[in-house]
């Protein structure tokens, strides 16, 4: 695996991937399978895919490449179950004390992981993501940003002996309060 430095972290990249539009390989499929993840409404589990033999994986490869080439994501892969997961140390009889988790098809998740890995590779290769971007990045967290911000405040104070001001905003239930116009088929568990 090739690695590229991004800030203070290293990011693993797909070896010899020069064109993100090349055919999806069996190796990519096998690496994208997370064996112990919950299945979605199609009841196909990752263990079935992983242990279904080469015929299963090669069939997925054919399906994924067809889907990728024509830019079509099957409607059945967009269906999901919503499972309410109780927040720890909260009253579980209250609806607001649960997190909704969407359970989608494992086949869809495998395809999404492959595409995500390719897109992230492209973005990093072409320096399209800031080194300060920590959200949705492997091996990055808010601690990285806090360390950077602390370092910047310290450096500014040493240079000017002036204080630096910062404002932080934490919106309670931010995800639940945004307006979305979606039309997904879904089921509730």
């Amino acid at each position: 695996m090739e690695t590229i430095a991004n800030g203070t972290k290293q990011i693993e990249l797909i070896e010899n991937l020069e064109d993100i539009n090349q055919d999806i390989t069996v190796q990519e499929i096998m690496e994208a399978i997370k064996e112990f993840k919950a299945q979605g409404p199609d009841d196909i589990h990752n263990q079935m895919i992983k242990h279904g033999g080469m015929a299963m994986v090669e069939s997925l490869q054919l399906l994924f490449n067809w889907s990728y080439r024509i830019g079509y994501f099957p409607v059945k892969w967009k269906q999901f179950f919503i499972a309410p997961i109780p927040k720890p140390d909260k009253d579980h009889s209250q609806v607001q004390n649960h997190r909704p988790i969407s359970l989608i098809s494992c086949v869809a998740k495998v395809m999404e992981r492959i595409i995500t890995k390719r897109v992230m590779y492209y973005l990093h290769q072409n320096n399209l993501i800031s080194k300060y971007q920590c959200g949705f990045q492997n091996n990055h967290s808010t601690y990285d940003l806090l360390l950077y911000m602390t370092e910047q405040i310290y450096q500014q104070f040493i240079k000017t002996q002036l204080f630096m001001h910062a404002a932080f905003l934490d919106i309670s239930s931010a995800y639940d309060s945004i307006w979305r116009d979606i039309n997904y088929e879904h089921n509730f568990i």
Side-chain angles (χ1 to χ4, degrees):
M1 287 279 184
E2 178 184 357
T3 59
I4 289 184
N6 182 15
T8 59
K9 300 288 183 176
Q10 297 291 312
I11 297 174
E12 287 189 19
L13 300 175
I14 304 167
E15 193 172 9
N16 299 324
L17 181 62
E18 297 184 14
D19 182 3
I20 65 170
N21 292 320
Q22 73 183 20
D23 281 349
I24 293 170
T25 66
V26 168
Q27 179 182 350
E28 285 180 290
I29 293 170
M30 295 304 289
E31 288 173 1
I33 296 172
K34 305 292 184 204
E35 201 165 348
F36 300 105
K37 294 288 185 176
Q39 72 267 17
D42 60 4
D43 288 326
I44 298 173
H45 197 279
N46 280 338
Q47 289 181 352
M48 294 166 64
I49 299 169
K50 191 163 194 156
H51 302 294
M54 281 309 292
M56 173 80 78
V57 176
E58 288 170 353
S59 296
L60 281 178
Q61 181 186 22
L62 181 70
L63 179 62
F64 287 172
N65 282 321
W66 170 80
S67 175
Y68 195 60
R69 269 187 234 115
I70 67 169
Y72 177 75
F73 198 78
V75 174
K76 287 287 187 187
W77 290 357
K78 297 176 187 178
Q79 293 177 339
F80 55 90
F81 289 134
I82 297 177
I85 306 297
K87 294 178 182 177
D89 303 325
K90 300 282 185 172
D91 179 6
H92 297 165
S93 67
Q94 301 294 316
V95 174
Q96 67 269 19
N97 293 333
H98 291 77
R99 288 191 179 91
I101 304 296
S102 297
L103 301 175
I104 66 169
S105 165
C106 287
V107 175
K109 285 188 267 190
V110 170
M111 177 78 167
E112 286 175 354
R113 281 189 199 101
I114 292 167
I115 293 171
T116 299
K117 192 170 186 179
R118 287 178 173 211
V119 169
M120 294 308 293
Y121 173 82
Y122 176 82
L123 293 173
H124 287 287
Q125 281 293 99
N126 293 287
N127 296 315
L128 298 172
I129 293 183
S130 167
K131 66 180 181 178
Y132 306 113
Q133 168 71 33
C134 290
F136 307 103
Q137 297 289 309
N138 289 337
N139 303 314
H140 286 74
S141 72
T142 53
Y143 295 118
D144 296 308
L145 288 177
L146 286 171
L147 179 62
Y148 172 74
M149 188 181 73
T150 304
E151 199 174 282
Q152 292 299 309
I153 291 170
Y154 179 75
Q155 292 300 326
Q156 186 66 24
F157 183 73
I158 287 178
K159 285 181 190 174
T160 64
Q161 295 295 311
L162 297 174
F163 290 98
M164 184 179 198
H165 299 281
F168 299 93
L169 181 63
D170 184 12
I171 301 172
S172 176
S173 300
Y175 182 78
D176 298 332
S177 63
I178 62 170
W179 181 80
R180 300 179 277 295
D181 185 18
I182 59 173
N183 188 14
Y184 292 114
E185 286 187 46
H186 60 276
N187 299 305
F188 293 93
I189 293 180

